[in-house]
Amino acid sequence: MRFTTEHSLPLPGMEATTTRPASLLRVKTIYLEPAVEGFQRGREILERFPEAERIEVPSHWNIAGLHGNEGLVGEWLRTKRDVLVLGVRKSMACRPNGRSADWIAPGSSNGCAMACAYCYVPRRKGYANPITVFVNIEQIADALERHAKKLGPKTEPNQVDPAYWVYDIGENGDLSADALVSSNVRDLVALYRRIPNAKGSFATKYVNRELLDYDPQGKTRIRFSLMPQRAAKVVDVRTSPMAERIAAINDFVDAGYEVHLNFSPVIVYEGWRADYAELFAQVADALSPRARAQIAAEVIFLTHNEALHEVNLGWHPKAETMLWVPKLQETKRSENGADNVRYRTGLKGKMVNIFRELLEAGLPGCPIRYAF
């Protein structure tokens, strides 16, 4: 069976960056809530960027001139590079998950310095989505430790993990990039190192080798997000090149991380099957025996959003030729009332099966924890 889109694959538009920190972040403006300077982490971050202009705002969620400012759409990449938001997290609730983790943790950040065209986080913020870092990391860590203690030991294995409760600590951002801003990520790795019945987990598209010194002792799972480089050149803007992500897997395993593969999102375009077969072969050739023995995968096919589609047309229309393909997609109203699009029922099931077969052929023995 052959699946194609209405368009041929677009020529590379916005290339993935190198992973030099200076090319990813050049903080010129910091928006901060009034309470930020009362926290040690807040003062540390401000000292790290002494030349940045500071603008006090009442809330990190609603910043006049930044969030909801349609005129900023053309400045999407500049805003991510030059702007940082500092806030104090209020909600400390953990939400049940069951897919990538048992629980979604209260995050230490929101937003990202990278600019993947399919990212769902900007849908809530409008036309700008730079990194927001929460400076009350001690309160976040205390809440997570109390939650895990209340759960007690994990007595029944599941597809998430056989022995530990797993907390996704990076749902709305990329912790590898966050680590360029503060020590929050180091603190979270240390937290799960000492919690006896739990481990942390986060997906990443950025190779930050400073994390190799965090000593996770097997209690933090990093999920390196992978897709064919031909597609990544178009939609994975400002991220680490795929070859760099693949090459990092062995080093992170040797440093004490559990490393899984996050194939998300899987995008269907002309030639996608051949590109994924090549990607799986590249991974198979790169993995050490130690990395191969602990590897597992999660697979998530693309879900896009009508509002984000309109935003993307303002700064990166080439990406939308891959992401917005009505011939293959159907509309689904989300729980919050947003109009999302996903691959059509029936068609998607066939594509998931094709992906499974390709992975088994190219990376035999790699378990798929879940696929949808």
Side-chain angles (χ1 to χ4, degrees):
M1 184 175 294
R2 188 180 185 197
F3 300 107
T4 64
T5 68
E6 291 180 306
H7 310 274
S8 60
L9 184 71
L11 293 174
M14 298 188 179
E15 303 286 337
T17 66
T18 64
T19 59
R20 291 175 299 174
S23 70
L24 195 64
L25 279 174
R26 189 182 63 192
V27 177
K28 294 183 175 181
T29 303
I30 298 177
Y31 294 94
L32 67 157
E33 293 180 343
V36 162
E37 293 187 75
F39 290 86
Q40 177 64 31
R41 185 54 38 84
R43 295 191 294 273
E44 291 172 1
I45 296 171
L46 292 171
E47 290 171 3
R48 184 173 294 195
F49 303 104
E51 303 300 321
E53 178 186 10
R54 302 179 187 181
I55 302 175
E56 190 170 291
V57 293
S59 170
H60 66 87
W61 268 118
N62 187 16
I63 300 175
L66 185 68
H67 298 149
N69 181 356
E70 186 174 357
L72 276 181
V73 68
E75 301 295 319
W76 189 262
L77 300 182
R78 183 195 62 79
T79 300
K80 283 179 168 286
R81 183 191 62 201
D82 294 354
V83 174
L84 176 65
V85 180
L86 303 181
V88 178
R89 185 174 185 95
K90 307 302 190 296
S91 171
M92 297 295 170
C94 292
R95 307 191 329 266
N97 180 249
R99 285 179 171 160
S100 63
D102 295 296
W103 299 91
I104 303 297
S108 60
S109 69
N110 187 295
C112 189
M114 291 172 279
C116 300
Y118 46 80
C119 180
Y120 63 87
V121 179
R123 300 174 194 170
R124 296 181 62 188
K125 293 186 178 180
Y127 300 93
N129 186 41
I131 295 177
T132 296
V133 172
F134 298 124
V135 299
N136 54 330
I137 186 65
E138 293 90 352
Q139 294 173 358
I140 295 170
D142 288 346
L144 289 169
E145 193 160 17
R146 288 195 304 269
H147 190 273
K149 184 176 182 179
K150 186 175 180 180
L151 287 175
K154 189 175 193 177
T155 57
E156 295 185 8
N158 60 13
Q159 66 84 16
V160 176
D161 193 84
Y164 296 107
W165 297 110
V166 178
Y167 290 76
D168 191 327
I169 54 178
E171 180 192 29
N172 290 320
D174 191 309
L175 267 61
S176 296
D178 291 351
L180 300 174
V181 176
S182 79
S183 297
N184 280 1
V185 182
R186 183 186 289 272
D187 289 347
L188 289 170
V189 171
L191 170 71
Y192 284 99
R193 190 168 61 228
R194 72 170 185 263
I195 296 178
N197 62 331
K199 66 171 64 169
S201 176
F202 65 93
T204 185
K205 301 178 179 69
Y206 179 66
V207 178
N208 183 347
R209 290 187 169 270
E210 291 183 7
L211 273 65
L212 295 173
D213 297 327
Y214 285 9
D215 189 26
Q217 298 180 16
K219 298 297 294 300
T220 296
R221 174 187 294 168
I222 290 183
R223 293 129 52 210
F224 277 108
S225 296
L226 302 180
M227 68 170 59
Q229 183 61 29
R230 190 157 68 111
K233 284 181 178 180
V234 181
V235 299
D236 263 20
V237 182
R238 308 191 82 231
T239 64
S240 296
M242 214 55 54
E244 187 175 351
R245 301 183 212 178
I246 294 171
I249 293 172
N250 293 342
D251 293 337
F252 275 79
V253 171
D254 290 343
Y257 291 93
E258 181 183 36
V259 178
H260 285 184
L261 307 178
N262 171 252
F263 296 107
S264 170
V266 178
I267 303 168
V268 176
Y269 56 87
E270 181 72 37
W272 73 281
R273 289 179 296 172
D275 285 355
Y276 270 100
E278 181 180 357
L279 174 65
F280 299 150
Q282 292 169 349
V283 175
D285 288 344
L287 291 183
S288 67
R290 183 180 178 187
R292 184 68 174 267
Q294 56 85 72
I295 209 75
E298 56 190 16
V299 182
I300 307 171
F301 274 71
L302 172 71
T303 295
H304 200 27
N305 174 267
E306 186 173 358
L308 182 59
H309 168 65
E310 294 299 324
V311 171
N312 287 348
L313 289 176
W315 74 275
H316 190 17
K318 283 186 177 181
E320 290 306 295
T321 64
M322 295 187 73
L323 302 176
W324 190 264
V325 189
K327 183 178 179 179
L328 301 180
Q329 295 166 329
E330 62 185 6
T331 301
K332 179 186 178 184
R333 182 62 60 91
S334 69
E335 293 180 358
N336 63 9
D339 288 325
N340 296 335
V341 295
R342 63 181 183 182
Y343 295 120
R344 295 182 182 276
T345 303
L347 177 63
K348 180 178 176 180
K350 294 174 183 177
M351 294 190 297
V352 170
N353 288 336
I354 288 173
F355 189 97
R356 287 181 177 273
E357 292 169 0
L358 289 170
L359 183 63
E360 178 58 30
L363 198 58
C366 175
I368 295 178
R369 295 196 297 108
Y370 66 92
F372 68 94

